Amino acid sequence: MFNKSKKNGFSLIELLVVIGVSAIIISFIFYLFNNVNFLTEKIKTKDKKTIELAYTINQLRDDILHIIPGKSGNSSGFQLINGEKLIFHRQNWNISNDFQGKKITKVTWEKFGDRLLRYSNELGQTNDNNFEKLEFKTYNLDVNFSVIVNNVNLNNFSSDETLNLPEGINLFFGDEQTHFFTSRVGQP
């Protein structure tokens, strides 16, 4: 009679099958985590764009709420040129340790390539180099302004002609010109 001794352990084929299955499972897990990292980066980028866009809109809203009607000297109180350049006067509070008061600034919003630029300087300043400049990224989206006058959207407007401000200002973004923002002028 044969005395078979039972071996404790695995055969070579069993070990190769386990290693092969483990390699397949590990590759799927690696693929899954690689996609999670990709999606996380995509979400972070979108969040950054959303925050920058919200900051742009809040700055524009603040400017619009403080628009001053009327003409000052040779400077028009409000102009929109071809839906790409918005010029107006606004009231600012100047608060410092030695002085508190109001000042009037001339603000220009202008589309420039893939950016939206905001320039501002004190009204009546002759030195063109003394201005504040802010840049906002548009991420290659087309940006246009329009004003609302008598419930009609206009791409060109000057308060010199009517001596009034428009009822509101629209901001359009994207190829399909998605209506993104509207604010009544001088009202919250």
Side-chain angles (χ1 to χ4, degrees):
M1 293 213 170
F2 280 109
N3 189 3
K4 285 187 173 181
S5 64
K6 194 162 189 172
K7 293 181 180 179
N8 292 333
F10 299 104
S11 70
L12 183 60
I13 294 176
E14 290 172 328
L15 284 174
L16 289 174
V17 168
V18 168
I19 290 171
V21 170
S22 297
I24 291 171
I25 291 173
I26 289 172
S27 68
F28 281 131
I29 291 173
F30 178 75
Y31 178 75
L32 177 70
F33 282 121
N34 199 17
N35 281 343
V36 167
N37 289 338
F38 173 75
L39 290 174
T40 303
E41 286 301 315
K42 198 89 160 147
I43 289 170
K44 283 181 185 177
T45 302
K46 256 193 165 164
D47 285 346
K48 182 180 176 187
K49 288 179 183 178
T50 303
I51 289 169
E52 288 177 1
L53 191 57
Y55 178 68
T56 304
I57 290 172
N58 283 332
Q59 181 63 53
L60 181 60
R61 178 177 283 131
D62 183 59
D63 283 345
I64 292 170
L65 292 177
H66 294 96
I67 287 177
I68 298 173
K71 189 174 179 181
S72 179
N74 293 334
S75 185
S76 177
F78 186 96
Q79 284 184 307
L80 176 61
I81 303 165
N82 297 325
E84 296 182 354
K85 191 172 188 177
L86 186 61
I87 305 167
F88 52 85
H89 301 141
R90 72 160 282 171
Q91 178 180 337
N92 281 340
W93 287 95
N94 188 6
I95 301 174
S96 62
N97 292 337
D98 55 341
F99 178 75
Q100 286 188 348
K102 299 175 190 175
K103 66 179 180 177
I104 298 174
T105 58
K106 181 179 180 179
V107 177
T108 302
W109 283 81
E110 183 175 12
K111 184 171 106 174
F112 188 77
D114 67 340
R115 295 170 295 173
L116 197 56
L117 303 177
R118 178 190 182 272
Y119 302 97
S120 67
N121 60 348
E122 272 191 59
L123 192 62
Q125 278 186 339
T126 57
N127 185 357
D128 290 337
N129 294 329
N130 193 15
F131 60 86
E132 292 180 34
K133 177 182 172 185
L134 295 174
E135 291 186 21
F136 303 97
K137 293 180 183 176
T138 61
Y139 298 99
N140 295 321
L141 293 174
D142 193 25
V143 177
N144 285 314
F145 295 102
S146 74
V147 294
I148 304 168
V149 178
N150 297 327
N151 294 326
V152 176
N153 284 332
L154 303 174
N155 288 331
N156 289 296
F157 179 83
S158 176
S159 63
D160 290 346
E161 298 165 9
T162 64
L163 297 178
N164 291 319
L165 291 173
E167 298 160 19
I169 297 175
N170 294 317
L171 178 62
F172 295 94
F173 266 95
D175 295 333
E176 298 175 9
Q177 291 297 287
T178 303
H179 182 208
F180 202 74
F181 163 75
T182 299
S183 179
R184 292 194 54 81
V185 176
Q187 298 179 8

